[in-house]
Amino acid sequence: MESVAGLTPWRSAAAQVLVSNLDSPELEPDDLHHLQRVLRLRVGQEVCATDGAGGWRSCAFSASHELEALGETHQELAPEYPVTVGFAVVKGERPELIVQKLTELGVDRIWPFMAQRSVVRWDEEKTVKQLERLRRVARESCAQSRRLWLPEVGFAPDSTRPGRAERLASFEQVRNSGAVLANMGGSALKRADRIVLVGPEGGWDSGEAEGASCVTLGEHVLRAETAAITAGVLLTALRAGIATENLR
Protein backbone atom coordinates (compact mmCIF):
# COMPACT_ATOMS: atom_id res chain seq x y z
CA MET A 1 0.00 0.00 0.00
CA GLU A 2 1.47 3.33 -1.00
CA SER A 3 0.87 6.13 1.45
CA VAL A 4 -0.90 9.31 0.45
CA ALA A 5 1.10 12.46 1.21
CA GLY A 6 0.75 13.32 4.87
CA LEU A 7 -0.98 10.06 5.79
CA THR A 8 0.37 6.93 7.44
CA PRO A 9 0.05 3.93 5.09
CA TRP A 10 -2.97 2.36 6.81
CA ARG A 11 -4.88 5.65 6.66
CA SER A 12 -4.55 5.99 2.90
CA ALA A 13 -6.81 3.00 2.21
CA ALA A 14 -10.41 3.46 1.11
CA ALA A 15 -11.65 1.84 4.33
CA GLN A 16 -10.55 0.01 7.44
CA VAL A 17 -12.01 -3.08 9.11
CA LEU A 18 -11.21 -5.14 12.18
CA VAL A 19 -10.53 -8.82 11.68
CA SER A 20 -9.75 -11.65 14.07
CA ASN A 21 -6.89 -13.11 12.02
CA LEU A 22 -4.56 -11.07 9.85
CA ASP A 23 -3.09 -14.21 8.28
CA SER A 24 -6.52 -14.99 6.84
CA PRO A 25 -8.59 -11.78 7.04
CA GLU A 26 -12.33 -12.35 6.83
CA LEU A 27 -15.12 -9.78 6.84
CA GLU A 28 -17.84 -9.80 9.45
CA PRO A 29 -21.37 -9.50 7.96
CA ASP A 30 -21.80 -5.96 9.34
CA ASP A 31 -18.46 -4.89 7.91
CA LEU A 32 -19.30 -6.35 4.51
CA HIS A 33 -22.59 -4.44 4.50
CA HIS A 34 -20.77 -1.23 5.43
CA LEU A 35 -18.17 -1.61 2.68
CA GLN A 36 -20.63 -2.71 0.04
CA ARG A 37 -23.78 -0.72 0.80
CA VAL A 38 -22.61 2.32 2.74
CA LEU A 39 -19.16 3.10 1.36
CA ARG A 40 -19.98 1.46 -2.00
CA LEU A 41 -16.44 0.19 -2.47
CA ARG A 42 -15.47 -0.90 -5.95
CA VAL A 43 -13.68 -4.14 -6.73
CA GLY A 44 -9.96 -3.71 -6.24
CA GLN A 45 -10.12 -0.79 -3.82
CA GLU A 46 -7.74 -0.98 -0.90
CA VAL A 47 -8.92 -1.91 2.57
CA CYS A 48 -6.79 -1.86 5.69
CA ALA A 49 -7.41 -4.89 7.89
CA THR A 50 -6.36 -4.53 11.52
CA ASP A 51 -6.49 -6.83 14.51
CA GLY A 52 -7.12 -3.93 16.90
CA ALA A 53 -3.81 -4.58 18.65
CA GLY A 54 -1.47 -2.58 16.42
CA GLY A 55 -1.30 -5.09 13.58
CA TRP A 56 -2.47 -4.26 10.06
CA ARG A 57 -2.37 -5.56 6.53
CA SER A 58 -3.17 -4.11 3.14
CA CYS A 59 -6.00 -5.92 1.34
CA ALA A 60 -8.16 -5.50 -1.75
CA PHE A 61 -11.94 -5.71 -1.89
CA SER A 62 -12.45 -8.63 -4.25
CA ALA A 63 -15.18 -9.40 -6.78
CA SER A 64 -16.45 -12.11 -4.42
CA HIS A 65 -16.83 -9.44 -1.70
CA GLU A 66 -13.96 -10.82 0.33
CA LEU A 67 -10.61 -9.46 1.45
CA GLU A 68 -7.64 -10.39 -0.70
CA ALA A 69 -4.33 -9.86 1.11
CA LEU A 70 -1.94 -7.68 -0.87
CA GLY A 71 1.04 -7.23 1.39
CA GLU A 72 2.76 -8.42 4.52
CA THR A 73 1.48 -7.99 8.04
CA HIS A 74 2.83 -4.96 9.88
CA GLN A 75 2.96 -4.21 13.58
CA GLU A 76 2.89 -0.66 14.91
CA LEU A 77 4.10 0.37 18.35
CA ALA A 78 1.56 1.09 21.06
CA PRO A 79 1.16 4.68 22.31
CA GLU A 80 3.81 5.84 24.77
CA TYR A 81 1.45 5.10 27.66
CA PRO A 82 -2.28 4.32 27.99
CA VAL A 83 -4.79 6.99 28.94
CA THR A 84 -8.12 6.26 30.55
CA VAL A 85 -11.43 8.07 30.97
CA GLY A 86 -14.03 6.76 33.37
CA PHE A 87 -17.55 8.19 33.42
CA ALA A 88 -20.58 7.74 35.62
CA VAL A 89 -23.27 6.27 33.40
CA VAL A 90 -25.76 8.77 32.02
CA LYS A 91 -29.19 8.63 30.40
CA GLY A 92 -30.24 7.73 26.88
CA GLU A 93 -27.72 7.40 24.08
CA ARG A 94 -25.12 9.64 25.67
CA PRO A 95 -22.91 6.71 26.79
CA GLU A 96 -22.66 5.72 23.12
CA LEU A 97 -21.67 9.27 22.20
CA ILE A 98 -18.99 9.29 24.89
CA VAL A 99 -17.51 5.96 23.75
CA GLN A 100 -17.64 6.99 20.10
CA LYS A 101 -15.76 10.24 20.67
CA LEU A 102 -13.24 8.83 23.15
CA THR A 103 -12.40 6.11 20.65
CA GLU A 104 -11.91 8.65 17.87
CA LEU A 105 -9.63 10.68 20.14
CA GLY A 106 -7.38 7.73 20.94
CA VAL A 107 -8.32 6.97 24.55
CA ASP A 108 -7.13 3.47 25.43
CA ARG A 109 -9.47 2.46 28.24
CA ILE A 110 -13.05 3.58 28.78
CA TRP A 111 -14.64 2.77 32.13
CA PRO A 112 -18.37 3.26 32.71
CA PHE A 113 -19.03 3.09 36.46
CA MET A 114 -21.68 3.69 39.10
CA ALA A 115 -21.38 6.70 41.40
CA GLN A 116 -23.39 7.53 44.51
CA ARG A 117 -25.44 10.18 42.70
CA SER A 118 -25.85 8.28 39.44
CA VAL A 119 -29.45 8.59 38.30
CA VAL A 120 -29.08 5.73 35.82
CA ARG A 121 -29.03 2.28 37.38
CA TRP A 122 -28.36 -0.70 35.12
CA ASP A 123 -29.33 -4.10 36.44
CA GLU A 124 -27.17 -7.11 35.59
CA GLU A 125 -29.02 -7.98 32.39
CA LYS A 126 -29.02 -4.42 31.09
CA THR A 127 -25.35 -3.99 31.98
CA VAL A 128 -24.38 -6.93 29.77
CA LYS A 129 -26.42 -5.55 26.87
CA GLN A 130 -25.14 -2.00 27.32
CA LEU A 131 -21.49 -3.06 27.48
CA GLU A 132 -21.97 -5.17 24.37
CA ARG A 133 -23.50 -2.19 22.58
CA LEU A 134 -20.73 0.17 23.74
CA ARG A 135 -18.09 -2.25 22.48
CA ARG A 136 -19.77 -2.36 19.09
CA VAL A 137 -19.70 1.44 19.03
CA ALA A 138 -15.99 1.39 19.91
CA ARG A 139 -15.31 -1.14 17.16
CA GLU A 140 -17.13 0.93 14.54
CA SER A 141 -15.43 4.13 15.68
CA CYS A 142 -12.04 2.45 15.69
CA ALA A 143 -12.44 1.57 11.99
CA GLN A 144 -13.91 4.96 11.10
CA SER A 145 -11.09 6.89 12.78
CA ARG A 146 -8.38 4.56 11.39
CA ARG A 147 -7.13 3.51 14.79
CA LEU A 148 -5.03 0.37 15.00
CA TRP A 149 -5.69 -0.10 18.71
CA LEU A 150 -9.19 -1.02 19.85
CA PRO A 151 -9.93 0.57 23.23
CA GLU A 152 -10.95 -1.53 26.20
CA VAL A 153 -14.52 -0.77 27.26
CA GLY A 154 -15.23 -1.87 30.80
CA PHE A 155 -13.15 -2.02 33.96
CA ALA A 156 -11.47 -5.40 34.18
CA PRO A 157 -9.29 -5.96 37.25
CA ASP A 158 -8.32 -9.35 35.82
CA SER A 159 -5.53 -8.39 33.42
CA THR A 160 -5.79 -11.74 31.65
CA ARG A 161 -9.14 -10.68 30.23
CA PRO A 162 -8.73 -6.98 29.44
CA GLY A 163 -11.90 -5.10 28.66
CA ARG A 164 -14.18 -8.10 29.04
CA ALA A 165 -15.79 -7.25 32.37
CA GLU A 166 -19.54 -7.81 32.20
CA ARG A 167 -20.40 -5.76 35.27
CA LEU A 168 -20.13 -2.04 35.90
CA ALA A 169 -17.27 -1.03 38.09
CA SER A 170 -17.95 0.75 41.35
CA PHE A 171 -16.50 4.16 42.07
CA GLU A 172 -14.17 2.61 44.65
CA GLN A 173 -12.72 0.23 42.06
CA VAL A 174 -11.89 2.91 39.49
CA ARG A 175 -10.68 5.45 42.06
CA ASN A 176 -8.23 2.94 43.51
CA SER A 177 -6.56 2.60 40.10
CA GLY A 178 -4.63 5.85 40.51
CA ALA A 179 -7.36 8.07 39.08
CA VAL A 180 -7.97 11.78 39.49
CA LEU A 181 -11.46 13.29 39.65
CA ALA A 182 -12.70 15.97 37.28
CA ASN A 183 -14.05 18.71 39.54
CA MET A 184 -14.44 22.49 39.53
CA GLY A 185 -11.62 24.17 41.40
CA GLY A 186 -9.18 21.34 40.83
CA SER A 187 -5.60 21.72 39.67
CA ALA A 188 -4.49 21.80 36.05
CA LEU A 189 -4.31 18.42 34.35
CA LYS A 190 -0.73 17.16 34.09
CA ARG A 191 0.95 14.64 31.85
CA ALA A 192 1.34 12.40 34.88
CA ASP A 193 -2.46 12.28 35.25
CA ARG A 194 -3.44 9.37 33.06
CA ILE A 195 -6.78 8.25 34.47
CA VAL A 196 -9.55 10.84 34.77
CA LEU A 197 -12.97 10.11 36.25
CA VAL A 198 -16.02 12.18 35.35
CA GLY A 199 -18.88 12.16 37.81
CA PRO A 200 -22.65 12.21 37.34
CA GLU A 201 -24.66 15.30 36.51
CA GLY A 202 -25.40 15.83 40.19
CA GLY A 203 -21.69 15.98 40.98
CA TRP A 204 -19.56 13.91 43.27
CA ASP A 205 -20.86 12.79 46.64
CA SER A 206 -18.92 14.39 49.49
CA GLY A 207 -17.56 11.01 50.50
CA GLU A 208 -16.31 10.34 46.97
CA ALA A 209 -14.55 13.67 46.66
CA GLU A 210 -13.03 13.64 50.15
CA GLY A 211 -9.28 13.16 49.96
CA ALA A 212 -9.30 12.71 46.20
CA SER A 213 -6.96 14.43 43.76
CA CYS A 214 -9.08 16.71 41.57
CA VAL A 215 -8.39 18.33 38.20
CA THR A 216 -10.23 21.01 36.28
CA LEU A 217 -11.43 20.60 32.71
CA GLY A 218 -12.11 24.29 32.17
CA GLU A 219 -13.72 27.36 33.70
CA HIS A 220 -17.34 26.43 32.91
CA VAL A 221 -19.68 23.77 34.23
CA LEU A 222 -19.83 21.01 31.61
CA ARG A 223 -22.45 18.40 30.93
CA ALA A 224 -21.33 14.91 31.88
CA GLU A 225 -20.78 13.80 28.28
CA THR A 226 -18.95 17.04 27.40
CA ALA A 227 -16.68 16.61 30.42
CA ALA A 228 -15.80 13.03 29.48
CA ILE A 229 -14.94 14.03 25.91
CA THR A 230 -12.96 17.04 27.12
CA ALA A 231 -10.95 14.79 29.44
CA GLY A 232 -10.16 12.57 26.45
CA VAL A 233 -9.05 15.57 24.38
CA LEU A 234 -6.72 16.83 27.09
CA LEU A 235 -5.23 13.45 27.97
CA THR A 236 -4.44 12.52 24.38
CA ALA A 237 -3.18 16.02 23.54
CA LEU A 238 -0.78 15.97 26.48
CA ARG A 239 0.47 12.54 25.47
CA ALA A 240 0.99 13.66 21.89
CA GLY A 241 2.82 16.79 23.02
CA ILE A 242 0.34 19.13 21.31
CA ALA A 243 -0.80 20.65 24.60
CA THR A 244 1.15 21.95 27.56
CA GLU A 245 0.53 21.19 31.18
CA ASN A 246 -0.43 24.82 31.81
CA LEU A 247 -4.08 24.34 30.87
CA ARG A 248 -5.67 26.99 33.05
Side-chain angles (χ1 to χ4, degrees):
M1 180 189 296
E2 296 182 0
S3 61
V4 176
L7 294 179
T8 49
W10 62 88
R11 292 192 177 100
S12 62
Q16 180 170 302
V17 294
L18 278 92
V19 298
S20 58
N21 186 355
L22 285 173
D23 292 329
S24 180
E26 296 183 3
L27 288 170
E28 296 290 337
D30 287 346
D31 293 329
L32 174 59
H33 177 270
H34 185 71
L35 296 182
Q36 188 177 12
R37 302 296 183 186
V38 179
L39 297 182
R40 299 184 183 277
L41 256 62
R42 300 184 303 276
V43 172
Q45 283 194 276
E46 291 179 329
V47 177
C48 174
T50 178
D51 59 7
W56 65 275
R57 190 174 193 179
S58 173
C59 300
F61 190 55
S62 72
S64 57
H65 300 152
E66 297 176 342
L67 293 179
E68 178 184 336
L70 296 177
E72 299 178 353
T73 298
H74 303 270
Q75 181 67 39
E76 300 298 321
L77 294 176
E80 181 182 355
Y81 56 83
V83 295
T84 305
V85 175
F87 66 94
V89 291
V90 287
K91 294 180 180 179
E93 298 180 354
R94 287 183 290 171
E96 298 175 13
L97 173 68
I98 293 171
V99 170
Q100 180 189 70
K101 300 311 175 188
L102 292 181
T103 301
E104 292 176 12
L105 289 166
V107 172
D108 303 285
R109 297 179 298 185
I110 304 170
W111 293 345
F113 65 90
M114 300 296 292
Q116 287 294 324
R117 293 180 178 174
S118 294
V119 174
V120 176
R121 296 287 171 177
W122 294 346
D123 60 25
E124 185 173 344
E125 181 180 359
K126 187 169 184 178
T127 295
V128 172
K129 291 181 179 178
Q130 289 292 333
L131 288 176
E132 181 180 347
R133 172 58 185 158
L134 294 179
R135 288 174 184 142
R136 285 200 303 270
V137 170
R139 189 177 186 279
E140 293 166 0
S141 298
C142 187
Q144 179 274 323
S145 60
R146 306 302 178 92
R147 281 188 63 170
L148 296 181
W149 295 86
L150 183 65
E152 297 176 7
V153 178
F155 179 82
D158 181 357
S159 61
T160 64
R161 299 179 67 248
R164 299 311 306 171
E166 301 300 343
R167 294 183 180 179
L168 284 186
S170 67
F171 169 77
E172 289 74 18
Q173 286 177 307
V174 293
R175 178 180 171 179
N176 292 338
S177 297
V180 296
L181 276 56
N183 210 7
M184 294 292 291
S187 61
L189 190 67
K190 303 181 296 296
R191 201 168 187 265
D193 299 323
R194 298 175 182 180
I195 304 174
V196 175
L197 306 183
V198 174
E201 293 179 337
W204 297 109
D205 178 83
S206 59
E208 294 171 331
E210 183 179 1
S213 297
C214 297
V215 295
T216 182
L217 299 179
E219 61 179 318
H220 302 127
V221 177
L222 305 177
R223 290 181 180 272
E225 64 272 24
T226 308
I229 296 167
T230 300
V233 170
L234 297 177
L235 286 170
T236 53
L238 282 169
R239 180 174 64 183
I242 57 178
T244 68
E245 295 187 6
N246 185 20
L247 297 174
R248 288 200 298 179

